[in-house]
Amino acid sequence: MSDLSRTVPQEQLVSQDLLHLSPTPVINLGHLSLDDSVTRSGVINQIARACHDLGYFQVTNHGISQSVMDCAVEAASDFFQLPSEAKEQFASQDLRKPVRYDTSSKDSISMSRAFLKHYAHPPRDWIQYWPDKPPIYREYMGKYAVEVRRVALHLMQAILEGLGLGKEYMNEKFQQGSQLLSVNCYPKASQDAMTIGLAPHSDYGFLTILLTSCQGLQVVDRSSDDSWKTVQQLPHALHVHVGDHMEVLSNGQIKTVVHRAVLNPEEARISIASIHGFELHEKVACAKELVDEQNPPKYKESSFTDFLDHLTANMDNKNRNFLESLRM
């Protein structure tokens, strides 16, 4: 049940002194709901440009209260502070488990993290499998999951408009789609420890929306010689980046984002990645509206189940690049 689809060998990592912090596009999502068509069109264009040029941006005024966000982080933190035996009951090497806990000692992608992954939509189908300890987990994480999915659907409509497909494009499939929460805990960096918490990779889905407790996310900056860029930590903002299936759907007009996590030298870090896609068995193909003689389909169709099959078949291969396996 991994969300990881692209990795690179450790020797290809960029040294810490080459990293930089620079502004990320910040989009006021509230403007999408305005009756002013000119303002709304401007936001659609901002999102389209950010997706096309960078593949990532941040959103403010997204409608999720600070208390809901804080409570989700609190629930995650409390879970990782549980005794080992309480967490290990969710440990499994089966990627198809509805809930799965693991650590860097077992996971070939993680380098210094613990994680809990579970499906979240629709809640009635999955929440029964979530941890019931700490007692706040299901309530707090459940509220956040519902709210962040609303944001994801709103963003998908805007991105589809930016692609010229219209906001109602395949609306039913997106409404019925899957949501995977990847809840992560990274320790505070120490002088003797490796600074990389999670190796470079891309996510399988259309969109990933990330809530973090502190700075530590880095993305490959395509606008600056593919150097590593540390993502700014803005109050009440959510980070958004596109995944492999967005690249497929757009027939390569939008590129997936390679990113990684580094350990924060000041404090331990919690991150909650909400990854959004079609239903588990639903295939994603290049939109026929974006295919013609000059732009033939560049990718084979695939589903989340195909992604899991690919990971399972390549468990011993750290370069498990799902997207590359789809290229035609």
Side-chain angles (χ1 to χ4, degrees):
M1 205 171 73
S2 173
D3 60 332
L4 308 177
S5 62
R6 176 179 297 172
T7 59
V8 299
Q10 174 67 17
E11 59 267 23
Q12 293 183 19
L13 297 179
V14 182
S15 61
Q16 191 72 23
D17 58 353
L18 295 179
L19 304 178
H20 62 281
L21 176 63
S22 57
T24 299
V26 180
I27 296 170
N28 186 334
L29 205 55
H31 288 168
L32 279 179
S33 303
L34 297 179
D35 294 331
D36 182 355
S37 60
V38 175
T39 300
R40 187 179 186 281
S41 178
V43 176
I44 297 293
N45 290 335
Q46 284 183 323
I47 294 173
R49 186 166 58 251
C51 287
H52 181 271
D53 294 347
L54 299 171
Y56 59 86
F57 53 94
Q58 294 191 350
V59 292
T60 59
N61 199 15
H62 41 67
I64 306 179
S65 71
Q66 189 64 53
S67 63
V68 168
M69 295 165 64
D70 290 344
C71 284
V73 171
E74 178 187 353
S77 180
D78 286 359
F79 172 80
F80 290 114
Q81 291 177 30
L82 291 174
S84 296
E85 56 270 20
K87 294 176 288 189
E88 287 291 337
Q89 65 177 300
F90 299 103
S92 175
Q93 296 299 306
D94 183 356
L95 302 183
R96 292 170 176 79
K97 286 284 189 180
V99 180
R100 188 165 69 93
Y101 170 79
D102 210 340
T103 67
S104 56
S105 63
K106 303 174 184 176
D107 177 20
S108 64
I109 305 300
S110 303
M111 306 185 78
S112 186
R113 73 161 178 166
F115 68 78
L116 179 72
K117 296 182 180 181
H118 52 71
Y119 298 119
H121 181 78
R124 65 180 180 275
D125 289 349
W126 302 113
I127 202 167
Q128 61 186 307
Y129 301 109
W130 293 9
D132 56 5
K133 294 180 181 178
I136 61 172
Y137 189 88
R138 292 182 178 181
E139 177 186 356
Y140 287 5
M141 198 63 70
K143 286 181 179 179
Y144 176 73
V146 170
E147 289 293 298
V148 76
R149 187 171 186 275
R150 174 187 53 77
V151 174
L153 291 173
H154 207 188
L155 283 169
M156 274 304 309
Q157 288 186 332
I159 293 170
L160 293 170
E161 281 194 72
L163 285 169
L165 298 172
K167 68 177 183 179
E168 298 301 321
Y169 184 79
M170 291 197 291
N171 181 62
E172 185 175 350
K173 290 186 178 181
F174 284 110
Q175 291 289 338
Q176 296 175 353
S178 65
Q179 178 185 17
L180 174 70
L181 291 185
S182 179
V183 185
N184 308 286
C185 180
Y186 300 95
K188 176 182 176 181
S190 65
Q191 290 183 343
D192 298 328
M194 186 179 297
T195 59
I196 305 299
L198 182 62
H201 65 283
S202 64
D203 296 342
Y204 77 88
F206 293 109
L207 283 181
T208 296
I209 301 180
L210 190 69
L211 168 65
T212 66
S213 63
C214 62
Q215 190 171 290
L217 175 67
Q218 294 179 342
V219 294
V220 169
D221 187 358
R222 297 198 295 262
S223 68
S224 180
D225 300 323
D226 288 345
S227 60
W228 285 106
K229 171 181 174 180
T230 301
V231 175
Q232 61 195 349
Q233 184 80 8
L234 296 178
H236 199 55
L238 294 169
H239 175 83
V240 181
H241 59 246
V242 300
D244 296 350
H245 274 160
M246 184 69 80
E247 181 167 335
V248 171
L249 181 71
S250 70
N251 199 27
Q253 289 191 28
I254 296 174
K255 303 296 186 183
T256 193
V257 176
V258 177
H259 54 286
R260 69 181 185 184
V262 297
L263 303 187
N264 190 300
E266 303 296 330
E267 58 185 303
R269 176 172 173 260
I270 294 291
S271 75
I272 304 172
S274 184
I275 306 170
H276 301 267
F278 279 168
E279 287 186 290
L280 305 186
H281 300 288
E282 186 71 40
K283 300 280 189 180
V284 178
C286 302
K288 64 181 187 299
E289 294 84 355
L290 304 178
V291 172
D292 55 32
E293 290 185 4
Q294 289 73 39
N295 298 284
K298 298 179 175 67
Y299 310 90
K300 296 177 285 187
E301 66 177 12
S302 67
S303 67
F304 179 64
T305 302
D306 295 329
F307 168 67
L308 294 181
D309 290 342
H310 176 81
L311 288 190
T312 301
N314 294 275
M315 287 296 288
D316 296 327
N317 180 4
K318 292 187 178 182
N319 298 310
R320 301 178 292 177
N321 194 320
F322 178 59
L323 184 62
E324 289 301 319
S325 74
L326 302 179
R327 296 188 191 278
M328 298 176 64

